[in-house]
Amino acid sequence: MLAEADSLEPHASTERRIRDVQSQALDSACHAFTATNALAPYRRRKGGAPVMHWATKGTLLFADSVGISSALIWLGEEPMLAVMTSMGAATATVVAGSIGADLRHQHDKARRVVENPEDLDPPLRPFAHLFRPEPQRNRLMKLAGGIASAIAVTVATGIFALRSVVDEPMVGMVFGGIAAAIAAASFIESWAHADDIADHIDAARSSYQREQRSLQKLSRNGALRRHRHAASEAASIQAEYEARGEAAARRMTALKWGIYRRNPAVLGHGEASPTITPKQVGRVQRSSSESRMNA
Protein backbone atom coordinates (compact mmCIF):
# COMPACT_ATOMS: atom_id res chain seq x y z
CA MET A 1 0.00 0.00 0.00
CA LEU A 2 2.87 2.36 0.74
CA ALA A 3 4.28 1.60 -2.70
CA GLU A 4 0.94 2.37 -4.36
CA ALA A 5 0.58 5.59 -2.35
CA ASP A 6 4.10 6.66 -3.34
CA SER A 7 3.40 5.92 -7.02
CA LEU A 8 0.25 8.05 -6.91
CA GLU A 9 1.87 10.93 -5.00
CA PRO A 10 2.93 12.97 -8.13
CA HIS A 11 -0.58 12.77 -9.59
CA ALA A 12 -2.17 13.53 -6.23
CA SER A 13 0.16 16.48 -5.64
CA THR A 14 -0.73 17.94 -9.03
CA GLU A 15 -4.43 17.47 -8.37
CA ARG A 16 -4.11 19.15 -4.99
CA ARG A 17 -2.43 22.16 -6.57
CA ILE A 18 -5.12 22.39 -9.24
CA ARG A 19 -7.80 22.01 -6.60
CA ASP A 20 -6.27 24.80 -4.51
CA VAL A 21 -6.24 27.12 -7.52
CA GLN A 22 -9.81 26.12 -8.35
CA SER A 23 -10.83 26.80 -4.76
CA GLN A 24 -9.41 30.31 -5.06
CA ALA A 25 -11.28 30.80 -8.34
CA LEU A 26 -14.48 29.62 -6.66
CA ASP A 27 -13.94 32.05 -3.79
CA SER A 28 -13.43 34.91 -6.25
CA ALA A 29 -16.54 33.94 -8.23
CA CYS A 30 -18.53 33.66 -5.00
CA HIS A 31 -17.36 37.11 -3.92
CA ALA A 32 -18.26 38.60 -7.32
CA PHE A 33 -21.69 36.96 -7.28
CA THR A 34 -22.36 38.12 -3.73
CA ALA A 35 -21.36 41.67 -4.67
CA THR A 36 -24.04 41.74 -7.38
CA ASN A 37 -26.69 41.73 -4.66
CA ALA A 38 -26.23 45.51 -4.59
CA LEU A 39 -27.51 45.64 -8.20
CA ALA A 40 -30.72 43.76 -7.47
CA PRO A 41 -32.87 46.92 -7.05
CA TYR A 42 -31.91 48.00 -10.58
CA ARG A 43 -32.80 44.69 -12.20
CA ARG A 44 -35.79 44.77 -14.52
CA ARG A 45 -35.85 41.38 -16.27
CA LYS A 46 -37.09 38.40 -14.30
CA GLY A 47 -35.56 34.95 -14.18
CA GLY A 48 -36.36 32.52 -17.01
CA ALA A 49 -36.68 35.29 -19.61
CA PRO A 50 -33.67 34.10 -21.69
CA VAL A 51 -35.59 30.94 -22.60
CA MET A 52 -38.43 32.96 -24.12
CA HIS A 53 -35.92 35.30 -25.75
CA TRP A 54 -34.14 32.57 -27.69
CA ALA A 55 -37.39 30.77 -28.47
CA THR A 56 -38.79 33.97 -30.00
CA LYS A 57 -35.63 34.60 -32.00
CA GLY A 58 -35.71 31.04 -33.32
CA THR A 59 -39.35 31.36 -34.35
CA LEU A 60 -38.71 34.62 -36.21
CA LEU A 61 -35.68 33.13 -37.93
CA PHE A 62 -37.60 30.05 -39.04
CA ALA A 63 -40.62 32.05 -40.25
CA ASP A 64 -38.51 34.41 -42.36
CA SER A 65 -36.40 31.64 -43.88
CA VAL A 66 -39.44 29.62 -45.00
CA GLY A 67 -40.84 32.38 -47.18
CA ILE A 68 -37.50 33.05 -48.88
CA SER A 69 -36.54 29.42 -49.43
CA SER A 70 -39.94 28.50 -50.92
CA ALA A 71 -39.67 31.34 -53.44
CA LEU A 72 -36.12 30.36 -54.43
CA ILE A 73 -37.09 26.73 -54.87
CA TRP A 74 -40.07 27.81 -56.98
CA LEU A 75 -37.65 29.72 -59.23
CA GLY A 76 -35.68 26.50 -59.77
CA GLU A 77 -32.87 26.96 -57.28
CA GLU A 78 -31.31 23.88 -55.73
CA PRO A 79 -33.11 23.17 -52.41
CA MET A 80 -29.88 23.11 -50.41
CA LEU A 81 -28.70 26.41 -51.83
CA ALA A 82 -32.15 27.90 -51.40
CA VAL A 83 -32.29 26.93 -47.74
CA MET A 84 -28.79 28.23 -47.04
CA THR A 85 -29.52 31.54 -48.80
CA SER A 86 -32.81 31.96 -46.97
CA MET A 87 -31.18 31.21 -43.63
CA GLY A 88 -28.56 33.87 -44.30
CA ALA A 89 -31.15 36.49 -45.23
CA ALA A 90 -33.38 35.58 -42.28
CA THR A 91 -30.42 35.74 -39.90
CA ALA A 92 -29.50 39.18 -41.24
CA THR A 93 -33.07 40.36 -40.63
CA VAL A 94 -33.22 39.05 -37.07
CA VAL A 95 -29.75 40.35 -36.23
CA ALA A 96 -30.65 43.78 -37.61
CA GLY A 97 -33.57 43.88 -35.21
CA SER A 98 -31.29 42.95 -32.32
CA ILE A 99 -29.94 46.50 -32.31
CA GLY A 100 -32.88 47.19 -30.02
CA ALA A 101 -30.97 45.59 -27.13
CA ASP A 102 -28.11 48.10 -27.40
CA LEU A 103 -30.53 51.00 -27.67
CA ARG A 104 -32.34 49.78 -24.56
CA HIS A 105 -29.05 49.56 -22.67
CA GLN A 106 -28.31 53.15 -23.57
CA HIS A 107 -31.79 54.20 -22.50
CA ASP A 108 -31.52 52.44 -19.13
CA LYS A 109 -28.03 53.78 -18.45
CA ALA A 110 -29.18 57.34 -19.17
CA ARG A 111 -31.84 56.91 -16.49
CA ARG A 112 -29.43 55.75 -13.77
CA VAL A 113 -26.32 57.73 -14.75
CA VAL A 114 -24.28 59.29 -11.94
CA GLU A 115 -21.84 62.04 -12.85
CA ASN A 116 -19.61 61.63 -9.79
CA PRO A 117 -18.67 58.02 -8.91
CA GLU A 118 -18.14 59.13 -5.30
CA ASP A 119 -21.87 59.69 -5.03
CA LEU A 120 -22.50 55.98 -5.41
CA ASP A 121 -23.09 53.82 -2.38
CA PRO A 122 -19.97 51.79 -1.41
CA PRO A 123 -21.47 48.44 -2.54
CA LEU A 124 -22.15 49.93 -6.00
CA ARG A 125 -18.70 51.42 -6.60
CA PRO A 126 -17.23 48.23 -8.12
CA PHE A 127 -19.95 48.60 -10.80
CA ALA A 128 -19.34 52.26 -11.51
CA HIS A 129 -19.07 51.52 -15.25
CA LEU A 130 -22.79 50.71 -15.24
CA PHE A 131 -23.56 54.23 -13.99
CA ARG A 132 -21.01 56.21 -16.02
CA PRO A 133 -22.17 58.35 -19.00
CA GLU A 134 -20.76 57.50 -22.45
CA PRO A 135 -21.20 60.48 -24.79
CA GLN A 136 -19.28 58.91 -27.67
CA ARG A 137 -21.52 55.85 -27.68
CA ASN A 138 -24.56 57.81 -28.84
CA ARG A 139 -23.01 58.48 -32.24
CA LEU A 140 -21.97 54.85 -32.58
CA MET A 141 -25.50 53.73 -31.78
CA LYS A 142 -26.90 56.06 -34.44
CA LEU A 143 -24.53 54.54 -36.97
CA ALA A 144 -25.45 51.00 -35.90
CA GLY A 145 -29.15 51.87 -36.08
CA GLY A 146 -28.74 53.20 -39.60
CA ILE A 147 -26.94 50.04 -40.72
CA ALA A 148 -29.60 47.83 -39.14
CA SER A 149 -32.36 49.80 -40.87
CA ALA A 150 -30.54 49.48 -44.20
CA ILE A 151 -30.27 45.69 -43.72
CA ALA A 152 -33.98 45.36 -42.95
CA VAL A 153 -34.99 47.50 -45.95
CA THR A 154 -32.63 45.61 -48.25
CA VAL A 155 -33.94 42.19 -47.21
CA ALA A 156 -37.57 43.32 -47.45
CA THR A 157 -36.94 44.80 -50.93
CA GLY A 158 -35.20 41.63 -52.08
CA ILE A 159 -38.08 39.43 -50.89
CA PHE A 160 -40.57 41.77 -52.56
CA ALA A 161 -38.70 41.53 -55.88
CA LEU A 162 -38.31 37.76 -55.57
CA ARG A 163 -41.98 37.15 -54.82
CA SER A 164 -43.03 39.58 -57.54
CA VAL A 165 -41.18 37.45 -60.09
CA VAL A 166 -42.59 34.18 -58.74
CA ASP A 167 -46.18 35.36 -58.15
CA GLU A 168 -47.67 38.84 -58.40
CA PRO A 169 -46.50 42.22 -57.15
CA MET A 170 -49.19 42.12 -54.47
CA VAL A 171 -47.81 38.82 -53.17
CA GLY A 172 -44.34 40.36 -53.24
CA MET A 173 -45.57 43.26 -51.14
CA VAL A 174 -47.09 40.82 -48.66
CA PHE A 175 -43.90 38.82 -48.20
CA GLY A 176 -41.73 41.95 -48.21
CA GLY A 177 -43.96 43.41 -45.51
CA ILE A 178 -43.64 40.19 -43.52
CA ALA A 179 -39.85 40.44 -43.70
CA ALA A 180 -39.99 44.08 -42.51
CA ALA A 181 -42.40 43.07 -39.74
CA ILE A 182 -40.03 40.31 -38.63
CA ALA A 183 -37.17 42.83 -38.41
CA ALA A 184 -39.41 45.19 -36.41
CA ALA A 185 -40.55 42.31 -34.17
CA SER A 186 -36.94 41.34 -33.56
CA PHE A 187 -36.20 44.96 -32.61
CA ILE A 188 -39.14 45.13 -30.19
CA GLU A 189 -38.34 41.75 -28.62
CA SER A 190 -34.68 42.73 -28.17
CA TRP A 191 -35.75 46.04 -26.63
CA ALA A 192 -38.11 44.31 -24.20
CA HIS A 193 -35.59 41.62 -23.23
CA ALA A 194 -32.48 43.79 -22.89
CA ASP A 195 -31.33 44.43 -19.32
CA ASP A 196 -27.61 44.97 -18.78
CA ILE A 197 -27.97 44.79 -14.99
CA ALA A 198 -29.69 41.40 -15.23
CA ASP A 199 -27.03 40.24 -17.70
CA HIS A 200 -24.31 41.21 -15.21
CA ILE A 201 -26.01 39.36 -12.34
CA ASP A 202 -26.73 36.28 -14.46
CA ALA A 203 -23.14 36.19 -15.73
CA ALA A 204 -21.82 36.31 -12.15
CA ARG A 205 -24.18 33.51 -11.13
CA SER A 206 -23.17 31.38 -14.13
CA SER A 207 -19.49 31.92 -13.37
CA TYR A 208 -20.01 30.88 -9.75
CA GLN A 209 -21.94 27.77 -10.73
CA ARG A 210 -19.34 26.84 -13.35
CA GLU A 211 -16.45 27.15 -10.86
CA GLN A 212 -18.48 25.16 -8.34
CA ARG A 213 -19.03 22.32 -10.81
CA SER A 214 -15.34 22.32 -11.74
CA LEU A 215 -14.30 22.02 -8.10
CA GLN A 216 -16.81 19.23 -7.50
CA LYS A 217 -15.43 17.38 -10.52
CA LEU A 218 -11.87 17.75 -9.23
CA SER A 219 -12.90 16.48 -5.80
CA ARG A 220 -14.01 13.23 -7.46
CA ASN A 221 -10.65 12.71 -9.19
CA GLY A 222 -9.65 9.04 -9.23
CA ALA A 223 -5.89 9.48 -8.65
CA LEU A 224 -6.40 11.66 -5.58
CA ARG A 225 -9.02 9.30 -4.18
CA ARG A 226 -6.84 6.21 -4.75
CA HIS A 227 -3.87 7.96 -3.15
CA ARG A 228 -5.89 8.79 -0.06
CA HIS A 229 -7.25 5.25 0.12
CA ALA A 230 -3.80 3.67 -0.20
CA ALA A 231 -2.25 6.04 2.36
CA SER A 232 -5.10 5.46 4.81
CA GLU A 233 -4.90 1.69 4.41
CA ALA A 234 -1.12 1.73 4.87
CA ALA A 235 -1.47 3.80 8.05
CA SER A 236 -4.16 1.43 9.29
CA ILE A 237 -1.98 -1.64 8.67
CA GLN A 238 0.98 0.02 10.40
CA ALA A 239 -1.15 0.94 13.42
CA GLU A 240 -2.56 -2.59 13.52
CA TYR A 241 0.84 -4.27 13.63
CA GLU A 242 2.15 -1.76 16.13
CA ALA A 243 -0.76 -2.71 18.38
CA ARG A 244 -0.11 -6.40 17.73
CA GLY A 245 3.57 -5.97 18.63
CA GLU A 246 2.71 -4.12 21.81
CA ALA A 247 0.19 -6.83 22.70
CA ALA A 248 2.82 -9.55 22.11
CA ALA A 249 5.30 -7.69 24.33
CA ARG A 250 2.70 -7.36 27.07
CA ARG A 251 1.89 -11.07 26.74
CA MET A 252 5.55 -12.00 27.21
CA THR A 253 5.66 -9.74 30.28
CA ALA A 254 2.56 -11.48 31.65
CA LEU A 255 4.13 -14.90 31.01
CA LYS A 256 7.29 -13.80 32.82
CA TRP A 257 5.35 -12.73 35.88
CA GLY A 258 3.38 -15.96 35.77
CA ILE A 259 6.63 -17.96 35.87
CA TYR A 260 7.81 -15.83 38.78
CA ARG A 261 4.59 -16.50 40.65
CA ARG A 262 4.72 -20.27 40.12
CA ASN A 263 8.39 -20.62 41.12
CA PRO A 264 8.84 -18.65 44.38
CA ALA A 265 11.52 -21.06 45.68
CA VAL A 266 13.78 -20.11 42.80
CA LEU A 267 12.66 -16.61 41.95
CA GLY A 268 11.53 -15.31 45.31
CA HIS A 269 8.25 -14.00 46.57
CA GLY A 270 8.18 -10.48 45.33
CA GLU A 271 10.14 -7.34 44.52
CA ALA A 272 13.45 -6.84 46.34
CA SER A 273 12.96 -5.01 49.63
CA PRO A 274 15.57 -3.59 52.03
CA THR A 275 13.64 -5.11 54.96
CA ILE A 276 14.24 -8.70 53.68
CA THR A 277 17.66 -10.23 54.16
CA PRO A 278 19.02 -13.33 52.39
CA LYS A 279 19.38 -15.11 55.80
CA GLN A 280 15.60 -15.39 56.17
CA VAL A 281 14.46 -18.89 55.22
CA GLY A 282 12.20 -19.01 52.14
CA ARG A 283 12.49 -15.24 51.53
CA VAL A 284 14.93 -15.03 48.69
CA GLN A 285 15.23 -11.64 47.07
CA ARG A 286 13.84 -11.74 43.53
CA SER A 287 16.53 -9.49 42.07
CA SER A 288 19.27 -11.89 43.10
CA SER A 289 17.22 -14.85 41.83
CA GLU A 290 16.80 -13.20 38.42
CA SER A 291 20.57 -12.69 38.30
CA ARG A 292 21.13 -16.39 38.98
CA MET A 293 18.68 -17.40 36.24
CA ASN A 294 20.20 -15.04 33.69
CA ALA A 295 23.62 -16.46 34.59
Side-chain angles (χ1 to χ4, degrees):
M1 286 300 167
L2 285 175
E4 183 179 359
D6 290 341
S7 66
L8 292 171
E9 176 59 30
H11 301 283
S13 178
T14 302
E15 292 297 332
R16 280 193 291 268
R17 292 176 58 188
I18 295 174
R19 186 187 59 185
D20 292 341
V21 173
Q22 189 63 41
S23 298
Q24 296 176 2
L26 178 61
D27 292 339
S28 299
C30 181
H31 176 72
F33 176 52
T34 304
T36 58
N37 290 333
L39 297 174
Y42 299 92
R43 179 169 185 158
R44 178 180 51 80
R45 189 179 67 220
K46 304 298 181 181
V51 177
M52 291 299 300
H53 169 69
W54 293 112
T56 303
K57 290 293 187 184
T59 302
L60 294 175
L61 182 65
F62 177 75
D64 198 19
S65 64
V66 168
I68 303 174
S69 59
S70 61
L72 290 174
I73 292 173
W74 185 263
L75 279 176
E77 186 64 81
E78 290 290 334
M80 181 61 68
L81 296 177
V83 170
M84 293 177 64
T85 302
S86 64
M87 288 297 294
T91 301
T93 304
V94 174
V95 171
S98 298
I99 191 66
D102 292 321
L103 293 176
R104 182 57 184 266
H105 290 164
Q106 284 297 106
H107 173 74
D108 291 342
K109 180 174 286 190
R111 295 175 59 185
R112 63 173 182 265
V113 67
V114 176
E115 295 294 339
N116 187 5
E118 298 298 328
D119 295 337
L120 289 172
D121 295 335
L124 291 174
R125 289 176 185 175
F127 311 102
H129 62 283
L130 298 174
F131 300 87
R132 187 183 303 120
E134 298 179 1
Q136 298 294 330
R137 190 171 175 82
N138 292 328
R139 288 182 290 179
L140 294 176
M141 292 309 304
K142 290 180 180 179
L143 177 61
I147 295 174
S149 300
I151 292 174
V153 171
T154 301
V155 173
T157 303
I159 294 177
F160 166 75
L162 179 63
R163 280 291 177 174
S164 297
V165 173
V166 175
D167 296 308
E168 298 179 357
M170 184 60 67
V171 177
M173 292 181 62
V174 170
F175 279 92
I178 291 175
I182 288 175
S186 178
F187 176 89
I188 294 172
E189 194 278 333
S190 298
W191 174 275
H193 176 267
D195 186 356
D196 53 348
I197 296 293
D199 291 340
H200 199 86
I201 295 174
D202 293 342
R205 179 187 293 108
S206 298
S207 177
Y208 170 68
Q209 293 174 345
R210 182 173 59 253
E211 299 298 341
Q212 192 176 43
R213 288 193 297 268
S214 298
L215 185 59
Q216 289 174 343
K217 184 177 179 180
L218 285 174
S219 66
R220 296 190 296 267
N221 182 269
L224 189 59
R225 187 171 61 251
R226 291 195 304 272
H227 175 266
R228 288 178 176 174
H229 179 269
S232 299
E233 189 169 356
S236 177
I237 293 173
Q238 185 175 0
E240 176 188 354
Y241 279 91
E242 286 179 356
R244 286 176 178 271
E246 184 179 356
R250 289 178 177 272
R251 178 176 174 79
M252 295 304 297
T253 302
L255 290 174
K256 180 187 75 172
W257 291 110
I259 294 171
Y260 285 177
R261 179 179 55 80
R262 291 191 296 269
N263 297 274
V266 179
L267 300 172
H269 296 276
E271 297 290 344
S273 175
T275 60
I276 300 176
T277 62
K279 295 180 179 181
Q280 293 178 289
V281 179
R283 301 297 292 178
V284 181
Q285 291 183 355
R286 182 164 289 177
S287 59
S288 60
S289 302
E290 289 179 0
S291 300
R292 291 197 299 272
M293 287 187 66
N294 292 333

